[in-house]
Amino acid sequence: MDLSSPLQAIIVIAGPILLALAIAYAMFRNRGSRREVQATEDATRRLYDAQDREDKARDKGGVA
């Protein structure tokens, strides 16, 4: 009896299902809370504002 064909069928069917479950689990575990996302957005905005002020001061010939 050749078991390679049924085994290959199981691998072909179960492999993508297991991969999808692993990706879904990783996405679920990687989500941040609203507070964390907002804190990240605020910090990014502060960094962009600081960089913008430095760029404008440099363009005017001053030093930030």
Side-chain angles (χ1 to χ4, degrees):
M1 179 191 277
D2 185 19
L3 293 178
S4 66
S5 182
L7 180 60
Q8 184 179 6
I10 291 172
I11 291 172
V12 167
I13 293 170
I17 293 171
L18 289 174
L19 180 61
L21 289 173
I23 290 172
Y25 175 76
M27 289 175 64
F28 178 74
R29 296 286 295 167
N30 197 30
R31 289 189 310 173
S33 69
R34 289 183 189 203
R35 180 178 292 163
E36 290 172 337
V37 170
Q38 187 61 44
T40 301
E41 293 293 326
D42 291 341
T44 302
R45 190 172 296 111
R46 284 192 304 271
L47 286 173
Y48 283 173
D49 289 343
Q51 184 65 47
D52 188 45
R53 284 191 303 272
E54 290 175 11
D55 289 344
K56 286 179 181 177
R58 192 175 315 114
D59 289 343
K60 291 181 182 179
V63 177

